[in-house]
Every structure is written in C-alpha cells, then in structure tokens.
Amino acid sequence: MSNAPTEEKVLSVEHFTDRLFSFSITRPPSFRFRTGEFIMIGLPKTEEQKRPIMRAYSIASPAWDDKLEFYSIKVEDGPLTSRLQAIKDGDTVLLGKKPVGTLVLDALLPGKRLWMFSTGTGFAPFASLVRDPETYERYDEVIVTHTCREAGELEYSQRLVDDLINDPLVGEMVVNEDGSPKLKLITSLTREDHPLKGRITTLLETGKLFEVAGTEPLNKDTDRVMICGSKDMIDDTAKLVEGFGLTEGSNSQPAEFVVEKSFVG
C-alpha cells in the first residue's frame, strides 16, 4: 500500500482576516481519524518547488463529516502558506495517509469538566472536538478558551460555537436540561479592547478565567485540559496547569492534561 499522499479537491475557502482562513477538501472514503488528530497536507510541486511541501495541520472537522476542514494562518513568505492562502474551489490539495496526535479524548483520564485552551489557529482541533457527540457523553461541562490579538480573529470560533445549537448531531447536547449551556466559549484579546483582555497564562495566574467561567480553579480530580497554540504558549500554559497538580498524559498513558506536540503557528 502506497504511503504517497492522495490528491483531493478544494470544496470551499473562506478568508477571515489578512492572517487567517479556512478551507475544506474532499475526504477519501477510506480515510479514518480520531477527533482532535492532525494530518500532513500540502500542494503539488511546481517548477520552483521540485517536491511537494507538506505541513502538519489539525483537522477542524469532526470524524463523522464527509469532508475535511482546516483552519490556517497566512504567512507571506511561508513555503506552504504563501501558496495555500491562494487556493480556490476545485484546486488540488495533497492529503497525507496517517493522522496522529495527542489532543484526543482517549489520552485523558475520565473527568467531569473538559477545558480546551487555544490561541490563534490552535482552535482548529477543538473545532473538531466540540462537534463530536462523544465529548459531551464523557463530560458534564466543556469550556473552550480562544485568545487572539484582534477581534476579527475570533470570528471562526464564535460563529462555529454559536451555530452548534442548530447542529443535528450535537445541538441538543450543548445545552443542559435546565437550558444552561453545557459548552462555553470564553474569548480574550491581547491587542484590542474586549470584555476579557489578556493572555490565557495571565487569566490562569490571576484566576480571572475561573471567575468568568463560574468554576473553581483547576482540580486534578475533576478537571481535564487540552492545550493548543504556539510552542511558547503551550510550554507556559502547561507549566501553569502542572502547578494546579495535573499531570501530562499521552495516548499510551492517559492522565489529566494533554498538549499538541507538533502544532506550529
């Protein structure tokens, strides 16, 4: 069986800001992945680029979807994103064969509340997880945080979560029987005015995050955490989470929190 990437067609592209866009591609019938995993994607070679450039991208669509969705930054001189940001419906995107990753439900021990801390396009794997029924079957409460620089960068996450109430698969699961939300999205900005300002690390250190969420501070007996963002954000946030007594887990050894090891950008 060949390990060569498959050629998939672009189904849709949406640009949110001059830095962020999303796109969806066809999904091979045999392609299987666990919600929260990432895959290598790329573009066909050109005269200038003699071989395809492949990069790891979290799959933003849920495992049950018949298409694959991705959420990407635009880097002007990036070897891949400088070309990827110009794709249009009908263009070809290369899709790797082997999805992997640590931001999966099975890498966490059972708990009551699931926190997902994200910055920028680090929201992508959580876009997959909040659309998976299993997330709500495992947890009583799901809280996603998304920190960006400017308000326009929050559009993707805010719209996706707002639309979930009408989702035929999880619409009834994102709300409790008393009408209160089972899923909460907490957004913050670092460069513009916003009801909540500051980096996720600051919000954790000051306790402001728990105040806004209406919860107690992280507790290893009840809380489970996933972290995705830039390398510095992941490292700094993981240290703070460990400070609350939580232990990092993996696919082979589930524990109280997991981070995305390969995420870039």
Side-chain angles (χ1 to χ4, degrees), residues 35-186:
T35 302
E37 288 187 317
F38 64 86
I39 189 70
M40 301 299 286
I41 64 171
L43 291 171
K45 62 185 179 181
T46 63
E47 284 188 13
E48 295 83 32
Q49 294 176 338
K50 300 299 183 187
R51 63 175 64 186
I53 294 172
M54 307 288 286
R55 293 285 186 268
Y57 270 76
S58 292
I59 303 170
S61 45
W64 51 261
D65 206 338
D66 58 3
K67 63 183 184 301
L68 297 173
E69 182 183 325
F70 300 93
Y71 186 44
S72 177
I73 55 169
K74 306 175 188 180
V75 182
E76 205 171 304
D77 55 355
L80 179 59
T81 58
S82 59
R83 291 176 58 206
L84 193 63
Q85 62 185 291
I87 57 173
K88 304 182 297 295
D89 291 14
D91 284 353
T92 297
V93 168
L94 302 178
L95 177 72
K97 288 279 181 71
K98 188 172 168 48
V100 290
T102 44
L103 294 182
V104 292
L105 295 170
D106 287 343
L108 292 172
L109 293 171
K112 292 188 175 179
R113 182 185 296 118
L114 176 62
W115 295 85
M116 304 178 192
F117 299 141
S118 70
T119 53
T121 52
F123 178 77
F126 304 148
S128 178
L129 283 153
V130 297
R131 289 185 275 185
D132 190 327
E134 191 179 349
T135 302
Y136 304 99
E137 289 163 2
R138 292 195 183 207
Y139 294 96
D140 298 335
E141 189 175 8
V142 179
I143 303 174
V144 190
T145 76
H146 192 200
T147 300
C148 295
R149 300 190 301 183
E150 299 154 5
E153 299 174 351
L154 295 173
E155 183 182 349
Y156 179 75
S157 60
Q158 288 177 321
R159 191 171 70 195
L160 190 149
V161 171
D162 285 347
D163 287 349
L164 278 182
I165 196 76
N166 301 313
D167 188 284
L169 201 59
V170 298
E172 292 182 355
M173 305 178 91
V174 299
V175 179
N176 293 311
E177 286 182 10
D178 63 3
S180 61
K182 184 168 182 174
L183 169 67
K184 292 178 186 171
L185 173 65
I186 297 175

Side-chain angles (χ1 to χ4, degrees), residues 159-251:
R159 191 171 70 195
L160 190 149
V161 171
D162 285 347
D163 287 349
L164 278 182
I165 196 76
N166 301 313
D167 188 284
L169 201 59
V170 298
E172 292 182 355
M173 305 178 91
V174 299
V175 179
N176 293 311
E177 286 182 10
D178 63 3
S180 61
K182 184 168 182 174
L183 169 67
K184 292 178 186 171
L185 173 65
I186 297 175
T187 60
S188 70
L189 294 180
T190 59
R191 293 195 182 175
E192 289 183 353
D193 282 338
H194 195 66
L196 187 60
K197 278 200 77 173
R199 300 179 184 280
I200 185 62
T201 46
T202 306
L203 301 176
L204 281 166
E205 285 175 315
T206 60
K208 184 70 176 175
L209 177 64
F210 310 115
E211 185 186 317
V212 171
T215 70
E216 295 297 315
L218 296 180
N219 180 324
K220 67 180 179 63
D221 295 330
T222 54
D223 293 289
R224 300 295 172 259
V225 174
M226 293 178 164
I227 307 169
C228 193
S230 68
K231 184 180 184 306
D232 287 346
M233 174 271 188
I234 290 173
D235 292 345
D236 294 344
T237 309
K239 279 181 193 162
L240 289 171
V241 170
E242 286 175 338
F244 285 98
L246 281 69
T247 303
E248 185 176 350
S250 64
N251 281 289

